[in-house]
Amino acid sequence: MNTQRMTRRLLVTSIAGLLATSLYAQDAAPAAPPAPQQAQGATPPPPPPQNKNTTNLDQVVVTGTAAAGGLKKIDTSYSITSATLDQIREFNPKSSADLLKMAPGVFPESSGGQTGANIEVAGFPGGGDAPFVSFQLNGSPLYPMSTLSFMENSSMFRLDDTIDHAEFVLGGPAVLYGNGQPGLTANFILREGTDTPSGDVGVTYGSEGMVRLDGFYGFKVADGWYGSVGGFWRKSDGVRDPQFSADKGGSLTATLTHNFGDSGSLMFYARDLKDHNQFVTDTPILNPGRGQFDGYPGFDPLTGTFGSKANQYSWIQTTPCNTPGCQPGGQGLNLGKGRGADILSLGGNLDFDFGNGWSISDKFNFTGGQMNTIAFFSTGANPQTLSSYIADALVSNNLPANTTATAVYTNNGQAADMNQNVTTQGLWSVRKRIQGVSNEFHLSKEIFDGNTLTIGNYSAVYSDHDTWFLGNNMLLQAKNNPSPIAVNLGNGDVLSNPGGFVSGPSTAIREAWNGFNTAFFVTDSWKVDQWLFDAGIRAERQQASGRIQNTATGDLDANPTTLYNNNSQYVVAGNSYINYKKTAPSWTVGVNYEIQSNMSVYARINDGVHFPGFDDLRGLPSQPVNKIHNMEIGFKYQADWIYLDVNAYRKLFYNVPYTITQGNGQQFSFDYGSATKGINFTTVLKPFEGFSVQFSGDYMDGHYTHSAACTPYTAQDGSSQCASLDGMQLQRQPTFQGRLTPGYEFPTAWGSMKFWVTYEYVGNRTGDLIEQQPLGQYHDWSFGATANIGQAWQVNLQGTNITNEIGITEGNSRLFGFASSGGVILARSIEGREVNLQVKYKF
């Protein structure tokens, strides 16, 4: 498959289709309004996006439905959470992934920084990355595949004032549309221009040394044409200060919209994101008892990081040479580049009503650029003294125990303390060049009064070209902002080189992948009095092909005395090829009954599918398509004093492949299933004027099923063990999580004030599949205050984790089973206290 040619064709076809239809629509539309009468049975076009009260059942949502103009919340027979721009700001998320906590049943582990979050969806056995979460921009997936290694969807997106509102859908009818995500679909809708020019400019200062500028301006271009431009720029030292900029960059977004009177609209957008962010790996943390954690000496779990001025710049060896004394090829790395995004997204949306019950909708998106990672990753080994580390290295290299050694810090050449604790961290380099284009077309016809049939197609062409060099273990002080350590042995051998590296790459990958997905779907919705029925089916085919360059393992410099690079992996000539083709169906049936105008109940059943990603296929080319079966019922109610949305579910998984690598390097693969039942809830109480209490969260009871009778693994003490997964709690997912937010808003002589605090509780979890890495529970507090001064000025003061609570989000992901040794565990906590102040001017 010539993917570049197919990409160009799909992109050109999408744009041409939008333009041709818009030109036809422009010719067909009356030259001058009087507003035309709505044709019998026609559905009006969607109104321009506006900030609305999302805790209102009359609010219109557009995600997860084929209905032109969307559906009112009271009519949706599925779980959907929405948030306005103001609500997003008040939530004060640490990242775009952190915002997903607004959707009950979603637990993002955003402790790693702005990017690289693990995102768990209740009842979906993920265990890392975010395979069951898709980010959309104006209804189009940012990238057609929800997760690649080192690139889940949230890493490609930043929050700013160009977002009008967000909608989060958990499964349900979302399995029919876009990339058919059976988990969470997070759709972000952009602000557009209006007849009256308006905008805002905001400046934010954060306690972690953050300075940020936000802005947006929407305006009228000409009659029927509207534009907008906005974005952000910021620079931050980070709560975990690496002694260089932890976060640096920004984005710029522009839109152009044309309205066809009452018949519809055409909208184009462009979004350029260039942002570099520190990624935080597991750090040493004291683990005195099961589920109990405390700070490790010299390394604060809330503010510590392995980044420092001493190790910001490094050189890694990647290419061997064949003569003694030669210099291997390699590449320079700058930790300041971190794990970030340098991507451009272009897209468009067309909605048009032809009258007589006929309407069309088309969405397209192109995203391309680089998603690189330069960061430390844990090697899985707990800290030990430098002298003990050298002694172990002598044994592993078959050298006499009495061999002497000298150790110096690489940044200043001073002698290193042999009694201090040290650790090794892998400095990983991952270069990713991605490209994806998708198009989704709907054709709808009202068959008879209240019944609308929709047929459509979703197609996507995408690629990923990668070069990885993993391993590159560096010997570091086991403390915040450490220095690398170079070690020379008395016999002339070099244990760690002048850069502090004790190994070369343990994994070298150079690969190129191309993918193509196409799906056809048919849906029907039928409104009968207070009942709304909907059903749909989708058939999707995925084709993927990969070229993976061959590798070899050996000495990079033909010198056995340089111990640090004697067992390195590197790429060599030749390739292996993988081709994959699968077709799988998805379907859904839902019913909603409007008991009263402010109360409804619903039920839904659906089957979704999850196609394997490129990285899945590299590990197991015959990877099956995951089948996800979901059943849910829900209740929605609204009155002057309460808003209530409760959803109960049961989710079943089958034939999920899993591979573990044992201590001897051998791999063991097996399949498992899972069964989960739970409740998601969102409640807002307003007992008296100005005061509100919001409580949201979920309870989940999820366990593994249908696993191998006894899965073998190597325990931390080196012994061979085995364990059954059956009945074990789904890893990394809390049984209960909840967020309680009381707030009070009141008028003043000069404007208004609002105060709120949020208490967050995350229940017990385990970091592995066999419940030997207890992560405990944690809670934290955040606060916010907003002053609206007149019509133009706004001042916002907000803070997170104000009591500096330790909250473990992941354990030692390099181990299968028990991970604590000597009262120490490698794990990652949420960040410490952060407070920021923003001044915003609206015009």
Side-chain angles (χ1 to χ4, degrees):
M1 176 174 57
N2 190 324
T3 304
Q4 287 188 338
R5 184 162 60 246
M6 292 188 70
T7 301
R8 289 195 296 269
R9 287 178 178 175
L10 184 54
L11 184 59
V12 170
T13 302
S14 302
I15 297 174
L18 280 170
L19 292 175
T21 311
S22 66
L23 291 173
Y24 169 80
Q26 212 164 10
D27 292 339
Q37 289 220 337
Q38 187 71 30
Q40 178 65 29
T43 305
Q50 299 174 3
N51 280 335
K52 297 181 179 180
N53 180 8
T54 57
T55 54
N56 188 319
L57 293 180
D58 287 331
Q59 188 213 7
V60 174
V61 293
V62 298
T63 310
T65 176
L71 284 175
K72 291 182 179 180
K73 268 191 176 181
I74 196 170
D75 292 326
T76 57
S77 54
Y78 52 94
S79 176
I80 184 166
T81 302
S82 51
T84 66
L85 176 61
D86 283 339
Q87 289 172 321
I88 293 172
R89 173 185 56 79
E90 291 178 5
F91 197 77
N92 196 23
K94 305 285 287 185
S95 63
S96 58
D98 198 46
L99 179 68
L100 303 183
K101 291 188 293 189
M102 295 187 78
V106 181
F107 178 56
E109 298 175 357
S110 52
S111 53
Q114 286 288 311
T115 65
N118 300 308
I119 307 173
E120 305 295 338
V121 180
F124 286 75
D129 292 325
F132 301 109
V133 177
S134 292
F135 272 57
Q136 294 184 348
L137 190 58
N138 276 32
S140 294
L142 278 174
Y143 187 74
M145 192 167 278
S146 57
T147 286
L148 296 174
S149 291
F150 307 99
M151 194 200 84
E152 35 70 47
N153 274 196
S154 75
S155 296
M156 306 171 67
F157 192 79
R158 305 293 186 273
L159 299 168
D160 60 24
D161 284 359
T162 65
I163 305 301
D164 180 83
H165 66 283
E167 297 177 354
F168 309 130
V169 173
L170 284 168
V175 301
L176 302 178
Y177 310 116
N179 58 350
Q181 176 59 259
L184 176 74
T185 299
N187 187 16
F188 294 86
I189 291 89
L190 294 171
R191 293 169 74 180
E192 300 175 38
T194 57
D195 283 314
T196 302
S198 62
D200 52 70
V201 175
V203 177
T204 306
Y205 176 76
S207 60
E208 77 284 17
M210 185 260 286
V211 177
R212 174 169 172 141
L213 175 67
D214 285 271
F216 174 82
Y217 181 57
F219 51 92
K220 181 177 180 180
V221 178
D223 287 345
W225 289 90
Y226 304 91
S228 73
V229 63
F232 80 96
W233 178 90
R234 65 96 169 74
K235 181 179 179 181
S236 171
D237 296 333
V239 176
R240 301 178 184 274
D241 184 1
Q243 300 178 330
F244 48 83
S245 293
D247 301 297
K248 186 176 182 180
S251 72
L252 182 66
T253 303
T255 71
L256 179 64
T257 305
H258 181 57
N259 289 333
F260 303 115
D262 286 341
S263 297
S265 65
L266 172 67
M267 181 262 205
F268 295 100
Y269 60 85
R271 188 175 180 90
D272 188 21
L273 172 64
K274 288 182 174 64
D275 197 31
H276 297 284
N277 317 100
Q278 176 187 210
F279 174 75
V280 179
T281 187
D282 296 344
T283 66
I285 294 175
L286 293 184
N287 182 206
R290 186 177 179 88
Q292 300 175 1
F293 306 97
D294 203 350
Y296 183 83
F299 210 114
D300 192 317
L302 301 170
T303 61
T305 176
F306 284 113
S308 70
K309 271 294 183 186
N311 59 40
Q312 179 181 357
Y313 297 99
S314 300
W315 175 268
I316 61 171
Q317 298 178 352
T318 62
T319 307
C321 56
N322 298 319
T323 57
C326 66
Q327 293 298 317
Q331 59 180 242
L333 302 182
N334 176 6
L335 274 174
K337 295 296 183 181
R339 184 169 183 169
D342 186 353
I343 58 171
L344 174 67
S345 294
L346 305 170
N349 292 57
L350 171 66
D351 293 284
F352 194 79
D353 193 318
F354 293 94
N356 296 319
W358 290 94
S359 64
I360 63 169
S361 172
D362 192 88
K363 307 180 185 74
F364 85 88
N365 175 274
F366 167 82
T367 295
Q370 297 185 54
M371 295 291 298
N372 299 331
T373 294
I374 300 172
F376 280 124
F377 285 82
S378 168
T379 61
N382 278 340
Q384 60 185 128
T385 64
L386 178 56
S387 59
S388 172
Y389 176 84
I390 294 173
D392 289 348
L394 294 176
V395 173
S396 62
N397 284 280
N398 297 314
L399 295 174
N402 61 354
T403 303
T404 60
T406 58
V408 299
Y409 301 119
T410 63
N411 61 322
N412 57 25
Q414 295 181 1
D417 181 0
M418 288 290 184
N419 295 315
Q420 68 180 319
N421 285 342
V422 296
T423 183
T424 54
Q425 296 293 313
L427 184 56
W428 292 10
S429 170
V430 177
R431 311 283 181 172
K432 300 184 75 70
R433 181 162 50 88
I434 62 165
Q435 182 173 285
V437 57
S438 66
N439 191 82
E440 182 174 356
F441 177 78
H442 293 206
L443 174 64
S444 299
K445 175 69 170 80
E446 186 168 49
I447 306 301
F448 53 85
D449 188 24
N451 184 281
T452 300
L453 179 72
T454 299
I455 62 173
N457 170 261
Y458 165 81
S459 293
V461 180
Y462 48 101
S463 64
D464 176 33
H465 292 194
D466 283 14
T467 300
W468 300 9
F469 294 105
L470 313 185
N472 311 303
N473 296 337
M474 182 183 288
L475 183 62
L476 297 167
Q477 297 170 295
K479 70 172 191 175
N480 184 44
N481 303 136
S483 293
I485 300 172
V487 179
N488 290 286
L489 302 180
N491 65 350
D493 289 352
V494 181
L495 182 60
S496 63
N497 73 0
F501 288 101
V502 295
S503 82
S506 58
T507 300
I509 295 176
R510 184 170 292 147
E511 60 185 2
W513 287 91
N514 297 308
F516 172 67
N517 285 56
T518 188
F520 292 91
F521 50 85
V522 179
T523 70
D524 187 85
S525 64
W526 189 10
K527 179 76 170 176
V528 183
D529 297 324
Q530 293 164 277
W531 295 89
L532 179 61
F533 303 91
D534 73 90
I537 188 169
R538 166 184 172 124
E540 181 173 5
R541 182 168 180 80
Q542 173 172 296
Q543 299 176 211
S545 60
R547 183 187 73 246
I548 305 169
Q549 192 164 339
N550 295 337
T551 60
T553 299
D555 190 353
L556 292 182
D557 61 1
N559 183 357
T561 67
T562 53
L563 304 177
Y564 57 86
N565 62 15
N566 285 352
N567 192 34
S568 301
Q569 189 174 93
Y570 48 89
V571 294
V572 296
N575 299 283
S576 61
Y577 297 89
I578 294 175
N579 289 286
Y580 181 87
K581 296 180 182 179
K582 290 284 185 181
T583 301
S586 300
W587 58 268
T588 185
V589 177
V591 57
N592 187 84
Y593 179 68
E594 188 175 326
I595 302 171
Q596 297 176 354
S597 60
N598 65 338
M599 184 190 310
S600 66
V601 293
Y602 66 87
R604 179 169 296 278
I605 184 170
N606 66 265
D607 267 10
V609 298
H610 176 72
F611 285 94
F614 295 148
D615 302 289
D616 300 321
L617 295 175
R618 185 193 329 110
L620 184 63
S622 59
Q623 191 98 194
V625 178
N626 288 166
K627 306 281 185 165
I628 301 98
H629 186 62
N630 174 67
M631 298 161 281
E632 59 183 314
I633 57 174
F635 174 73
K636 289 172 281 191
Y637 176 72
Q638 180 182 347
D640 290 340
W641 62 279
I642 188 174
Y643 172 89
L644 178 64
D645 189 344
V646 181
N647 168 275
Y649 60 84
R650 180 167 173 78
K651 294 179 171 65
L652 303 174
F653 271 70
Y654 303 99
N655 301 321
V656 180
Y658 192 83
T659 299
I660 65 171
T661 302
Q662 302 178 64
N664 57 10
Q666 294 183 348
Q667 292 187 329
F668 180 80
S669 298
F670 59 95
D671 292 344
Y672 64 80
S674 70
T676 306
K677 55 183 180 290
I679 297 177
N680 297 326
F681 59 90
T682 298
T683 306
V684 181
L685 300 175
K686 298 180 179 180
F688 55 85
E689 183 68 26
F691 182 74
S692 65
V693 179
Q694 179 167 329
F695 184 38
S696 65
D698 78 285
Y699 168 81
M700 180 211 75
D701 181 18
H703 299 88
Y704 295 107
T705 63
H706 302 91
S707 70
C710 201
T711 301
Y713 69 96
T714 302
Q716 192 160 337
D717 62 4
S719 63
S720 296
Q721 305 286 340
C722 73
S724 172
L725 269 64
D726 275 351
M728 298 290 181
Q729 178 184 344
L730 296 186
Q731 68 175 136
R732 303 169 83 140
Q733 299 192 26
T735 301
F736 176 80
Q737 62 171 326
R739 290 156 193 91
L740 180 69
T741 304
Y744 184 58
E745 185 173 10
F746 58 92
T748 67
W750 38 262
S752 65
M753 287 286 298
K754 183 176 182 180
F755 299 93
W756 67 93
V757 294
T758 297
Y759 171 79
E760 176 184 50
Y761 174 83
V762 175
N764 287 306
R765 294 142 294 125
T766 59
D768 64 331
L769 283 76
I770 53 177
E771 297 188 8
Q772 292 193 30
Q773 293 187 28
L775 303 181
Q777 55 79 31
Y778 69 88
H779 66 273
D780 62 271
W781 292 87
S782 61
F783 77 92
T786 292
N788 292 298
I789 305 170
Q791 298 296 315
W793 291 94
Q794 185 180 77
V795 179
N796 302 299
L797 178 66
Q798 295 179 269
T800 57
N801 197 9
I802 57 176
T803 55
N804 273 330
E805 303 291 339
I806 297 176
I808 304 301
T809 61
E810 72 172 27
N812 192 334
S813 57
R814 303 283 173 260
L815 293 177
F816 184 88
F818 189 65
S820 181
S821 176
V824 179
I825 188 174
L826 292 180
R828 193 167 63 189
S829 171
I830 60 176
E831 289 184 338
R833 182 188 302 113
E834 178 186 14
V835 178
N836 61 71
L837 176 69
Q838 181 190 61
V839 178
K840 178 177 284 190
Y841 178 72
K842 300 180 179 181
F843 55 91

